[in-house]
């Protein structure tokens, strides 16, 4: 164990080790509630669309380059699953390969370790793609469910279990003849919702799976 720790914090492995430590610190903050999984998420498609619109009239080759980069990022599942989850698998792969490569090649040169880091980055990227591919459909379905839930905003509902801004209750919502029971809270502290109140669905909080509603005003 001591040898592993010494090797991890040696100069030849320090870059992957520091990256891995930062990832571990991030997940610890997620556990204690400082951040959530999507805190540093990246919308690659949105960024690229903006850049392409700006540069289209100036340099089509630049636009083509940006589209190529976007395709490459999408190939490695960036934008399809949370960025920090993707980076976590990448950092772990980078660290393991670095440790094994420098050990088995008996490398003690910092300069040579930097050279090894180049192919390591590419190999780790492909390993990350393979590991995260099963998660793509999972997150795609979750996103689809969230979008479906968001479509309920603007619908009328009937409170079946009293709710406040700090206390969760329930409400019944009817869509095309079907009845659904949803978890609800009021949008503001001034609203105290009672059983039988007619309310309007204002927003949806996917992290808590709760709808924010408020009394309907004619």
């Amino acid at each position: 164990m001591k040898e592993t720790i010494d090797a991890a914090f040696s100069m030849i492995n320090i870059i992957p080790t520091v990256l891995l430590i930062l990832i571990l610190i991030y997940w610890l903050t997620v556990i204690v509630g400082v951040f959530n999984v999507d805190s540093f998420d990246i919308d690659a498609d949105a960024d690229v669309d903006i850049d392409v619109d700006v540069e289209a009239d100036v340099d089509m080759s630049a636009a083509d380059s940006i589209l190529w980069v976007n395709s490459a990022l999408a190939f490695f599942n960036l934008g399809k699953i949370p960025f920090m989850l993707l980076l976590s698998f990448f950092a772990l792969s980078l660290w393991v390969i670095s440790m094994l490569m420098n050990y088995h090649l008996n490398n003690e040169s910092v300069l040579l370790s930097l050279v090894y880091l180049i192919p390591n980055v590419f190999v780790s990227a492909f390993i990350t793609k393979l590991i995260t591919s099963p998660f793509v459909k999972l997150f795609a379905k979750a996103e689809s469910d969230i979008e479906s839930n968001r479509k309920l905003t603007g619908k009328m509902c009937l409170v079946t279990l009293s709710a406040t801004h700090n206390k969760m209750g329930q409400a019944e919502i009817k869509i095309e003849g079907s009845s659904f029971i949803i978890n609800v809270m009021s949008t503001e502290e001034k609203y105290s919702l009672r059983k039988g109140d007619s309310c309007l669905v204002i927003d949806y909080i996917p992290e808590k799976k709760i709808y924010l509603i408020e009394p309907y005003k004619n």
Side-chain angles (χ1 to χ4, degrees):
M1 185 67 180
K2 184 178 182 301
E3 292 181 355
T4 301
I5 294 175
D6 289 342
F9 286 94
S10 65
M11 291 305 297
I12 59 175
N13 293 310
I14 194 63
I15 294 178
T17 297
V18 169
L19 178 60
L20 187 61
I21 289 174
L22 292 175
I23 293 296
L24 292 174
I25 292 174
Y26 164 79
W27 286 113
L28 285 175
T29 60
V30 169
I31 292 172
V32 300
V34 176
F35 296 118
N36 59 56
V37 177
D38 296 323
S39 294
F40 300 99
D41 204 6
I42 293 177
D43 189 350
D45 292 335
D47 292 340
V48 170
D49 289 341
I50 293 172
D51 290 338
V52 170
D53 290 338
V54 172
E55 298 294 338
D57 296 331
V58 179
D59 190 346
M60 288 303 296
S61 63
D64 291 339
S65 298
I66 293 171
L67 290 173
W68 181 88
V69 171
N70 184 52
S71 299
L73 294 176
F75 175 79
F76 289 107
N77 296 332
L78 184 64
K80 298 178 182 179
I81 66 173
F83 173 71
M84 291 306 296
L85 184 60
L86 196 74
L87 185 60
S88 297
F89 285 114
F90 174 79
L92 181 59
S93 176
L94 192 76
W95 182 79
V96 171
I97 292 175
S98 179
M99 292 282 288
L100 293 176
M101 184 181 293
N102 287 311
Y103 174 76
H104 288 291
L105 295 177
N106 296 315
N107 177 45
E108 295 182 358
S109 169
V110 175
L111 182 60
L112 195 56
S113 69
L114 293 176
V115 174
Y116 291 159
L117 199 59
I118 297 173
N120 188 357
V121 167
F122 287 99
V123 173
S124 295
F126 279 98
I127 291 176
T128 300
K129 174 182 168 58
L130 291 175
I131 295 175
T132 58
S133 289
F135 293 96
V136 172
K137 289 185 178 180
L138 180 65
F139 281 99
K141 185 180 184 305
E143 187 65 26
S144 176
D145 291 341
I146 291 173
E147 288 304 317
S148 296
N149 287 324
R150 283 175 177 159
K151 289 179 181 179
L152 295 181
T153 57
K155 302 291 185 181
M156 292 292 300
C157 65
L158 187 69
V159 177
T160 57
L161 185 62
S162 298
T164 66
H165 187 63
N166 300 311
K167 177 187 173 185
M168 185 179 71
Q170 290 186 331
E172 180 183 24
I173 185 169
K174 293 183 178 181
I175 301 176
E176 298 178 352
S178 298
S179 179
F180 302 91
I181 298 297
I182 59 176
N183 295 324
V184 299
M185 294 177 70
S186 63
T187 54
E188 301 179 34
E189 292 185 3
K190 65 180 181 180
Y191 295 133
S192 182
L193 308 175
R194 298 175 180 271
K195 182 178 179 180
D197 287 349
S198 294
C199 295
L200 189 67
V201 179
I202 302 299
D203 200 1
Y204 176 67
I205 305 176
E207 296 83 6
K208 298 181 179 180
K209 297 182 179 179
I210 291 177
Y211 294 87
L212 297 180
I213 64 175
E214 62 181 42
Y216 177 70
K217 301 175 183 178
N218 292 323

